[in-house]
Amino acid sequence: MKSIGIDIGTTTISFVITDNDTLTVLQKYTIAGNSFIQTGNSWERIQDTDVILSRIRPVLYEILDTYSDISAIGITSQMHGIVYTDSGGHAVSPLYTWQDGRGALPEFNGRSICRSLSEDTGIKVAPGYGLVTHLYNVKKGIVPADASSFCTIGDYLGMVLTGRRTPRIHISQAAGMGLFDLKKLEFRYEKIADAGADPAFLPEATKNFSVSGTFKGIPVCVSIGDNQASFLGSVTDGTDTVLVNVGTGSQVSVMSRQYIEIPGIETRPLTDSTYLLVGAAVCGGAAFASLEKFFRTYAVAAGAPDISQYDIMKKLLELQAEKDDAWQIRTTFSGTRSNPEDSGIITGIRTDNFHPAAMIRGVLNGMAEELYELYELIETGTGRHMAKLTASGNAVRQNKVFQQILEERFNIPLTIVQNEEEAAYGASLCALYASGQLSKRQLPV
């Protein structure tokens, strides 16, 4: 028997086929999302919900045609963002992604939604969080008239597959929307009402990895957050491992068996009895992607073809291997969770290191430094030093120099996750557990 894991990312959608007996990945598929909608607003980051589903359906049907013994389907997706749904379970809005910046706009007596919540309730939230987006839309009067609830894009896929009319989401996804009580593991209903939103709009939240329905007779597991799915799909023992994941954004994650608050670190539900302590860098792998775009823009202007510059960037690093020549670069190019208006900083440029490789290595050093500083907060807050460093995400997997930089900065031996689509793989494990085909002891928690 086999299971399917689906990961709806920001830029790509991934699928894995997992063997239920060996828990190994038999096959994987990755396709481009190509679903962003251009609105003309620099702060607005939304995606076409119908396009996302139209990309998923052909691959899912191809898998089901190829494998006749699929016994479970697991789903994970980019966190924080929301899709509005109507009473029939249909999407009536685009996906407002985690990158959407409307929550930081000072449009309400000079204050933003994030600032208002912080000053009025003491609750720290970031732009892009689903309830921040929803509160903005409520106050601006732009919630779709026929909307009755909202959920993540992963939860919406689950609704479409199972025919559910109302969203049912896991606490890992619910917490990512903000205004969530992490001790009680439920939404802060009174705070949400006080902020101006109707709590009746909120989706049902479950503490368990559970089956939300069936698709062609196959159990479909409730969607889980991509950070939690990546952790489950990456580590072999959650008790002594720090996980670094670098995608469009990047995170450093450590599991805790108790609720703990650490300034600058998010506490995210993993299961009903465990949490992930997560330090999130907003820019993450996008910092390196921005650098590639910088070089590509120059190359095209100089008459070269409009092609990827990553291989050339790696070659430049190999030719100019001196570590001490790197520029000092703070890679907060997209701000930080606590200060969206923050920007990057570049120093340490001299005539003798004015070389592209020094800039490239400086960006990689900056990405590693940002993650390490977040890990230091976790280490200090918990009093625990992790013995293992595991890294996932293609931004790490495909860059040997970045691997070396991470290992040296953390001073912990580095292991690269073997399953390339770790979030999709983690979702498939959750589906097996939810459907009774995997014991909890087989999960790394």
Side-chain angles (χ1 to χ4, degrees):
M1 303 295 286
K2 302 169 185 66
S3 57
I4 300 173
I6 304 173
D7 174 22
I8 310 173
T10 307
T11 56
T12 60
I13 303 169
S14 301
F15 307 74
V16 298
I17 312 302
T18 300
D19 182 279
N20 295 0
D21 294 325
T22 63
L23 299 183
T24 56
V25 173
L26 301 176
Q27 192 169 359
K28 62 183 179 66
Y29 306 75
T30 298
I31 59 175
N34 293 335
S35 59
F36 273 104
I37 300 172
Q38 300 303 318
T39 67
N41 296 318
S42 61
W43 48 265
E44 193 166 30
R45 297 285 287 173
I46 60 177
Q47 293 179 320
D48 191 311
T49 308
D50 291 335
V51 169
I52 293 172
L53 263 64
S54 73
R55 305 285 290 165
I56 292 171
R57 286 191 184 97
V59 181
L60 179 57
Y61 279 105
E62 179 184 339
I63 293 172
L64 294 176
D65 287 341
T66 304
Y67 298 96
S68 60
D69 57 347
I70 299 296
S71 64
I73 298 174
I75 303 170
T76 182
S77 68
Q78 51 178 291
M79 297 169 64
H80 309 305
I82 58 170
V83 175
Y84 287 104
T85 60
D86 63 16
S87 59
H90 306 109
V92 291
S93 78
L95 165 63
Y96 300 88
T97 74
W98 63 278
Q99 295 174 317
D100 193 86
R102 71 192 63 210
L105 299 177
E107 296 190 4
F108 309 99
N109 297 321
R111 299 194 302 172
S112 68
I113 295 295
C114 290
R115 181 181 170 187
S116 297
L117 288 171
S118 176
E119 293 178 350
D120 298 343
T121 69
I123 299 173
K124 301 291 185 181
V125 286
Y129 281 30
L131 274 161
V132 171
T133 297
H134 178 56
L135 284 168
Y136 177 94
N137 292 345
V138 168
K139 291 181 181 297
K140 298 292 284 189
I142 58 175
V143 175
D146 48 354
S148 62
S149 190
F150 52 77
C151 60
T152 72
I153 185 62
D155 297 304
Y156 181 61
L157 173 61
M159 292 174 67
V160 171
L161 292 180
T162 62
R164 286 187 64 94
R165 294 187 176 184
T166 57
R168 184 168 186 258
I169 70 176
H170 186 253
I171 51 175
S172 61
Q173 295 280 34
M177 293 181 178
L179 293 170
F180 190 83
D181 191 317
L182 293 166
K183 292 182 179 179
K184 296 180 179 179
L185 297 178
E186 62 183 32
F187 285 110
R188 296 177 180 265
Y189 298 102
E190 291 186 7
K191 297 287 188 183
I192 292 169
D194 291 343
D198 183 357
F201 248 80
L202 296 170
E204 174 194 352
T206 176
K207 299 178 182 179
N208 303 310
F209 299 144
S210 57
V211 173
S212 59
T214 61
F215 175 65
K216 295 184 177 298
I218 303 169
V220 178
C221 181
V222 65
S223 166
I224 64 170
D226 58 358
N227 176 223
Q228 289 88 340
S230 290
F231 191 86
L232 294 172
S234 299
V235 307
T236 55
D237 182 358
T239 59
D240 65 350
T241 302
V242 51
L243 173 66
V244 167
N245 177 267
V246 184
T248 305
S250 63
Q251 304 90 25
V252 55
S253 306
V254 172
M255 192 182 80
S256 173
R257 295 196 181 281
Q258 60 183 2
Y259 175 79
I260 185 172
E261 294 182 10
I262 302 174
I265 298 298
E266 291 185 64
T267 303
R268 297 177 176 176
L270 177 59
T271 68
D272 58 351
S273 59
T274 59
Y275 295 85
L276 285 185
L277 305 175
V278 182
V282 178
C283 204
F288 203 60
S290 295
L291 183 61
E292 187 274 340
K293 183 179 179 181
F294 172 86
F295 286 122
R296 185 189 295 211
T297 300
Y298 176 83
V300 171
D306 187 1
I307 60 174
S308 171
Q309 300 296 300
Y310 287 117
D311 288 341
I312 297 172
M313 292 161 68
K314 291 178 184 178
K315 185 178 295 184
L316 285 167
L317 278 177
E318 294 169 1
L319 294 174
Q320 192 91 359
E322 294 299 324
K323 301 176 184 178
D324 295 338
D325 285 341
W327 300 358
Q328 286 77 60
I329 301 180
R330 187 168 179 261
T331 53
T332 50
F333 301 156
S334 300
T336 64
R337 292 287 188 191
S338 59
N339 183 12
E341 300 303 316
D342 204 356
S343 59
I345 300 173
I346 301 178
T347 59
I349 304 173
R350 305 177 305 278
T351 55
D352 59 349
N353 76 340
F354 208 103
H355 187 280
M359 184 181 186
I360 297 167
R361 185 179 285 275
V363 168
L364 293 174
N365 284 344
M367 291 164 59
E369 183 64 28
E370 194 171 3
L371 289 168
Y372 181 73
E373 289 175 358
L374 292 166
Y375 169 65
E376 277 191 312
L377 294 176
I378 297 174
E379 189 178 50
T380 301
T382 60
R384 296 165 53 209
H385 176 73
M386 298 295 107
K388 301 174 184 175
L389 172 64
T390 298
S392 63
N394 288 334
V396 181
R397 185 176 288 106
Q398 297 173 3
N399 194 319
K400 296 292 185 183
V401 173
F402 191 34
Q403 294 174 23
Q404 295 167 2
I405 289 172
L406 284 169
E407 189 167 61
E408 291 174 3
R409 189 65 190 93
F410 279 76
N411 195 29
I412 305 173
L414 176 68
T415 300
I416 304 297
V417 177
Q418 295 303 308
N419 296 314
E420 292 188 15
E421 300 300 340
E422 52 279 338
Y425 175 62
S428 72
L429 296 182
C430 288
L432 288 174
Y433 173 73
S435 58
Q437 302 175 69
L438 189 72
S439 71
K440 193 169 185 178
R441 289 181 299 177
Q442 291 173 285
L443 294 175
V445 294

